[in-house]
DNA sequence: TCATCTCTGTGCGCTGACGAACATGGGGTG
DNA sequence: CACCCCATGTTCGTCAGCGCACAGAGATGA
């Protein structure tokens, strides 16, 4: 399917580094295959590796009251996993669940800490990324509180599409319900509404985005704001 | 009211520093009086100063859809304002509103950046604080989503009491409604319930905590979890 | 003392989402 | 081919919280 000269998707946090530093960094990484449903971090567990997704992506999930779950962030080729190590903390705060199978670059925590010391450019860039994540966390707190399911579902599908890099998403309503922290049948109702309007089409665990622009209009404004923030803080440098 | 030998409340982030560093740091600070309702940062505005509250405290608020508001964090003598500068970002992500009048130490952004370079101990401690805030942001996202008003109100009162250092809080239901992102009359109902159970007493803009332990039991578990996290990450060092 | 303003109490109908349950039907397995 | 599982469709009653509106009561100021 891919061309013979296929260049593996690059991680955006690393792509912008000066060539020398990037190659030094990547020399310390190994490439790993992540499978759907794999748990990379458990809350309060020690972080042994950081991950830079290439074509995989990972959900960061809060577990509350022992049963309720809510996705609060997502990391794909635009981000990384293990941000707490940027702050020098070796503990994972959240559940990290592989939501899109694929490859990622991985480095040990110790090597990563050393790389941060060696490369101010990298360090600076990752601090900016951390700022973006923090800001998004705060805003999505309000989004989850005030916005209703349909808009949040549309936003979530768009975010996933961006990271999966395809219109075809492998997702059940059940899974979406867990991500959004709502009932399964609540997702069904909203998904049907989006399908009726011709924005998506779905069938037994597969969702296809038909009208991306329409979906953006159906989503809450948070989607655009998130992208603008990322672009503003991480475009240059 | 205070004794002649009154020692001003110390800021916990600074209190644990080695004496030499602390004094050097504080020499660069000025003491400022913060008044209720004062806005220290507007979202997207440049951060000119960082603040270390002594007996004042500040709410960090997300404004969404131009009208809805939701408090996502609070900073008192246990924390600081202007955390984005710890990451080297000179932009404030959130609305910072003085919620408890009092004093704070203040330092210019430029001096602060220099101090971080000069004092690894300070830097390390502030990164730990940042980790706590991030973790709390993520969890309160779920709290705001799943927990109901009464538990959240109780939690909020406790957090405020901790930072105000008194049982007497100056708060209207209207204000509480804004913090929690709910209707004013929703707060009235929950507040009455807490009062009926003898946990608090209130009257026209003044709330008194009568039974702190009972209030903790009425609050969602998030209150205890927040405190434990702070203690775990910032107690030592 | 009176007028006014602010804070709180309370009522109404409404809606979004809940929890639980059952129906349907496509797909994969044996 | 038969079977079963699993994803989705749908319903029912319930509930928390909404938006709005108004009433009463304490505070404030003229």
């Amino acid at each position: 399917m891919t061309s013979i000269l296929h260049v593996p998707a690059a991680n955006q946090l690393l792509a912008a580094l000066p060539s020398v530093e990037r190659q030094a960094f990547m020399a310390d990484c190994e490439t790993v295959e992540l499978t759907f449903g794999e748990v990379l971090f458990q809350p309060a567990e020690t972080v042994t590796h950081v991950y830079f997704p290439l074509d995989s992506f990972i959900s960061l999930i809060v577990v509350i009251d022992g049963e309720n779950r809510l996705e609060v962030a997502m990391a794909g080729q635009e981000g990384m996993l293990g941000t707490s190590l940027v702050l020098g903390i070796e503990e994972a705060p959240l559940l990290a669940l592989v939501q899109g199978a694929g490859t990622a670059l991985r480095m040990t925590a110790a090597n990563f800490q050393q790389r941060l010391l060696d490369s101010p450019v990298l360090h600076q860039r990752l601090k900016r990324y951390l700022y973006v994540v923090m800001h998004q966390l705060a805003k999505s707190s309000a989004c989850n509180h005030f916005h209703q399911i349909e808009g949040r579902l549309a936003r979530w599908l768009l975010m996933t599409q961006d990271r999966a890099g395809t219109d075809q998403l492998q997702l059940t309503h059940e899974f979406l319900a867990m991500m959004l922290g709502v009932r399964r049948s609540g997702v069904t109702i909203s998904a049907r509404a989006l399908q009726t309007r011709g924005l998506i089409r779905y069938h037994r665990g597969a969702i296809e985005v038909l009208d991306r622009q329409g979906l953006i209009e159906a989503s809450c404004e948070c989607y655009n704001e998130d992208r603008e923030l990322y672009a503003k803080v991480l475009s240059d440098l």
Side-chain angles (χ1 to χ4, degrees), chain A:
Chain A
M1 291 306 153
T2 55
S3 82
I4 294 174
L5 292 176
H6 173 67
V7 177
N11 181 282
Q12 285 184 45
L13 293 178
L14 305 178
L17 294 181
S19 171
V20 178
E21 302 204 15
R22 184 173 69 248
Q23 285 171 18
F25 188 91
M26 289 174 70
D28 263 7
C29 289
E30 56 177 330
T31 304
V32 290
E33 283 290 324
L34 305 180
T35 60
F36 177 82
E38 198 177 342
V39 172
L40 299 183
F41 303 151
Q42 288 279 0
E45 206 176 68
T46 301
V47 175
T48 58
H49 294 82
V50 294
Y51 294 81
F52 291 84
L54 299 177
D55 56 356
S56 57
F57 56 107
I58 292 100
S59 287
L60 292 169
I61 296 166
V62 178
V63 181
I64 196 170
D65 306 326
E67 42 175 349
N68 292 320
R69 286 156 183 249
L70 179 65
E71 194 208 50
V72 292
M74 205 185 276
Q77 47 84 240
E78 90 299 337
M80 68 168 287
L81 229 82
T83 47
S84 59
L85 279 173
V86 178
L87 296 172
I89 310 285
E90 297 189 323
E91 180 188 272
L94 302 170
L95 177 66
L97 186 71
V98 176
Q99 203 249 299
T103 57
L105 296 174
R106 181 170 95 161
M107 185 186 281
T108 65
N111 280 344
F112 180 65
Q113 304 265 41
Q114 189 57 49
R115 287 286 163 206
L116 287 180
L117 296 176
D118 294 346
S119 170
V121 181
L122 173 69
H123 199 169
Q124 162 76 349
R125 189 161 173 80
L126 295 186
K127 285 192 289 185
R128 284 176 169 253
Y129 175 65
L130 205 58
Y131 173 78
V132 170
V133 171
M134 253 185 112
H135 194 160
Q136 287 176 350
L137 274 180
K139 293 181 74 162
S140 80
S141 188
C143 173
N144 289 335
H145 184 69
F146 290 111
H147 295 156
Q148 18 199 93
I149 298 182
E150 193 171 311
R152 294 209 290 134
L153 173 60
R155 174 186 173 212
W156 199 91
L157 291 174
L158 288 163
M159 289 173 58
T160 304
Q161 188 194 18
D162 291 341
R163 286 161 181 81
T166 163
D167 299 347
Q168 321 285 333
L169 311 174
Q170 300 303 312
L171 299 163
T172 65
H173 295 183
E174 186 79 47
F175 183 83
L176 288 165
M178 190 190 81
M179 293 295 112
L180 299 176
V182 299
R183 279 182 320 163
R184 193 269 309 161
S185 56
V187 170
T188 298
I189 291 168
S190 293
R192 283 208 59 191
L194 295 177
Q195 178 165 256
T196 301
R197 283 192 268 154
L199 307 179
I200 62 173
R201 179 167 54 199
Y202 63 88
H203 179 68
R204 292 187 74 75
I207 300 186
E208 183 181 1
V209 175
L210 298 177
D211 177 358
R212 186 177 163 78
Q213 190 52 44
L215 205 52
I216 290 178
E217 283 154 23
S219 74
C220 55
E221 196 46 34
C222 305
Y223 174 70
N224 281 326
E225 289 174 8
D226 268 15
R227 300 207 68 174
E228 284 161 16
L229 177 66
Y230 184 92
K232 183 169 81 170
V233 178
L234 284 165
S235 60
D236 56 303
L237 184 79

